[in-house]
Amino acid sequence: MTVKPALTLLFLILTYSFSMAQNNPNYDESKVPDITLPDPFVSLGGKLISTQQDWEEIRRPEILNLFREHVYGNIPTDFDEISFEEVQESQNPYPEKAILKEVNITVSRNGKSHTMRLNLFLPKTAKSPFPIFLLINHRPKHSDGSLVEEGFWSASELINRGYATASFHGETVAPDDAERYSEGILQTLYPEELEKSDGMKTLGAWGWAAMRAMDYFEQNPMIDSKRSALIGHSRGGKATLWAAANDLRWSVAFPNESGCGGAAISRRKYGETLAVINTSFPHWFADNFNAYNGAEETLPVDQHMLAALIAPRAVYFASARGDQWADPKGEYISMQLGARVFSEIYDQDVNFPLAFEELKNPIIQPFAGYHIREGKHSLTWEDWEHFIDFAKIQWR
């Protein structure tokens, strides 16, 4: 194929421009554009939304469908059969205080099946049924075969406090790889999604897996599925928000440092942008999301509206000061604005009166909370401590 010189020059200019955008992200608040955000309280037809009925019957379904079409893609809910089988392949790191259950969750559809693995710890020293913390895990698997990375998944401390805790690895559902992401449930169970511009991608697949884990929790008498928390860090935090918006069974959602395409306001164009994330990770979001690269202001939604979709259940955002790439201020503003649904629609006493620059302590209150800690992009025991404190308030 012969490439015309003008087209070659255009390609080089675009490639160079994108490379410069990656190497020179905006971390200057004075360069954040003036933005106008979509209003959660005005329907697509222009109706002012002020009642719980109008929110749940009109506006919430609208917003959820807009995120499905333009951002995350579908999460199919249909399948023919699901089964749960306990296996014993790994050594229990906490034999004195916990029961380890390794559960193969097998889902069948149209004559084909896929199996994902759930690792679950149940305390020995407390009385069931136990509240459950589920972590969406995407960390590299340990060469020694160990199940737990303490700090990132603080299983030992959760067990000590009488909680059940579980984790599944994204690799057993949809690999976090632009070339291989379809090798899990997409090729096996939902191949039609691969042909759709709003089809399910990796983050939606991980959300689907969280739903299947909840299916297991609901039928396990040792687990109190009504007191359930879904946790994810970074890309796992994005999946956590999307899963909790779609699945009303989760009582608390904890997206940790989820940034662009997660908790942070996209229109701020601070740190990671849509163009960067969609180019670097084309397997995460629906293909339609690419239309907004460099044009965030044309999105029909923004991330404060995703926080609003969790109401009247509980949601908690977490940031780190050394993680400017994820735009901590944009995450906090998103919570401030999204939490208005809790107070204005559900009459819940939720309030974020402080400006981002004034924050010193975690905001732990019923229904919605936030903290920012020192340090870099990670999930730490300090984060988990605040998550536990917040969950206690919701579950008392």
Side-chain angles (χ1 to χ4, degrees):
M1 180 179 69
T2 302
V3 179
K4 295 181 180 180
L7 293 178
T8 301
L9 178 60
L10 177 61
F11 174 77
L12 291 174
I13 291 172
L14 292 174
T15 302
Y16 176 77
S17 298
F18 178 71
S19 175
M20 291 299 291
Q22 283 185 301
N23 294 330
N24 297 283
N26 175 42
Y27 294 136
D28 185 347
E29 280 295 326
S30 69
K31 295 181 180 179
V32 172
D34 293 332
I35 59 176
T36 300
L37 291 170
D39 192 337
F41 301 103
V42 178
S43 76
L44 294 178
K47 178 180 175 63
L48 182 64
I49 304 298
S50 59
T51 68
Q52 183 174 328
Q53 182 177 358
D54 283 349
W55 171 257
E56 294 180 353
E57 295 182 2
I58 300 174
R59 190 57 172 147
R60 188 185 189 280
E62 282 183 350
I63 295 172
L64 188 63
N65 286 330
L66 288 171
F67 273 112
R68 283 175 179 159
E69 179 181 355
H70 298 278
V71 183
Y72 298 100
N74 306 310
I75 298 185
T77 57
D78 67 303
F79 52 84
D80 298 326
E81 187 178 2
I82 186 169
S83 63
F84 312 107
E85 179 188 11
E86 292 187 19
V87 297
Q88 292 183 331
E89 293 183 1
S90 304
Q91 184 175 353
N92 186 350
Y94 317 114
E96 295 182 355
K97 61 183 180 181
I99 299 168
L100 168 63
K101 290 185 179 292
E102 297 176 276
V103 183
N104 280 345
I105 302 177
T106 299
V107 179
S108 301
R109 181 177 186 259
N110 295 338
K112 296 184 178 181
S113 63
H114 181 88
T115 299
M116 60 174 280
R117 173 65 59 83
L118 182 73
N119 298 306
L120 169 67
F121 292 101
L122 299 166
K124 285 183 175 180
T125 56
K127 185 178 180 180
S128 67
F130 305 108
I132 181 74
F133 287 83
L134 174 67
L135 172 68
I136 299 177
N137 199 344
H138 56 81
R139 302 280 273 203
K141 292 190 175 181
H142 307 294
S143 58
D144 62 359
S146 59
L147 298 175
V148 178
E149 179 184 344
E150 286 296 348
F152 189 84
W153 181 19
S154 294
S156 179
E157 293 296 338
L158 288 164
I159 294 164
N160 290 342
R161 287 158 175 77
Y163 297 107
T165 184
S167 176
F168 70 86
H169 200 285
E171 189 75 15
T172 72
V173 183
D176 188 14
D177 183 279
E179 300 297 324
R180 299 189 303 111
Y181 77 94
S182 64
E183 292 177 3
I185 64 169
L186 279 162
Q187 282 185 359
T188 305
L189 300 181
Y190 303 103
E192 67 276 9
E193 292 296 313
L194 295 170
E195 306 301 322
K196 300 176 181 178
S197 60
D198 62 349
M200 178 167 64
K201 289 288 192 72
T202 300
L203 298 183
W206 292 357
W208 177 94
M211 295 177 184
R212 305 293 73 81
M214 176 58 81
D215 292 339
Y216 171 75
F217 297 152
E218 285 188 318
Q219 59 84 56
N220 188 327
M222 298 187 72
I223 294 174
D224 182 358
S225 63
K226 300 298 183 184
R227 294 187 291 169
S228 57
L230 184 60
I231 301 97
H233 167 68
S234 191
R235 63 201 67 180
K238 306 178 205 299
T240 290
L241 268 172
W242 185 228
N246 281 272
D247 189 346
L248 303 181
R249 294 175 295 177
W250 294 101
S251 64
V252 188
F254 291 108
N256 186 73
E257 298 165 36
S258 56
C260 181
I265 297 292
S266 297
R267 283 167 167 78
R268 278 173 48 81
K269 302 183 182 182
Y270 185 100
E272 188 173 32
T273 62
L274 298 195
V276 172
I277 200 171
N278 281 329
T279 305
S280 301
F281 307 103
H283 57 294
W284 284 359
F285 299 92
D287 291 343
N288 285 341
F289 202 31
N290 288 291
Y292 303 99
N293 292 348
E296 287 88 343
E297 63 279 357
T298 64
L299 266 169
V301 290
D302 214 316
Q303 300 309 109
H304 64 300
M305 301 166 82
L306 191 56
L309 293 181
I310 309 299
R313 297 161 297 137
V315 60
Y316 185 104
F317 289 177
S319 308
R321 294 192 188 278
D323 185 18
Q324 292 300 301
W325 183 247
D327 187 13
K329 183 172 181 176
E331 292 179 321
Y332 179 68
I333 292 172
S334 178
M335 174 57 76
Q336 277 186 309
L337 298 176
R340 290 175 56 212
V341 171
F342 290 89
S343 57
E344 297 182 28
I345 298 296
Y346 291 100
D347 295 322
Q348 296 165 340
D349 187 14
V350 174
N351 193 19
F352 293 89
L354 296 177
F356 175 75
E357 292 76 14
E358 299 173 308
L359 292 174
K360 291 184 175 22
N361 300 308
I363 300 174
I364 308 289
Q365 61 185 333
F367 304 110
Y370 177 87
H371 80 253
I372 184 168
R373 60 164 173 79
E374 301 301 322
K376 299 181 179 180
H377 187 69
S378 185
L379 178 56
T380 71
W381 169 238
E382 181 179 347
D383 297 312
W384 281 100
E385 281 189 297
H386 297 319
F387 296 165
I388 292 169
D389 289 342
F390 182 78
K392 282 180 181 177
I393 293 176
Q394 319 314 315
W395 297 338
R396 62 188 176 192

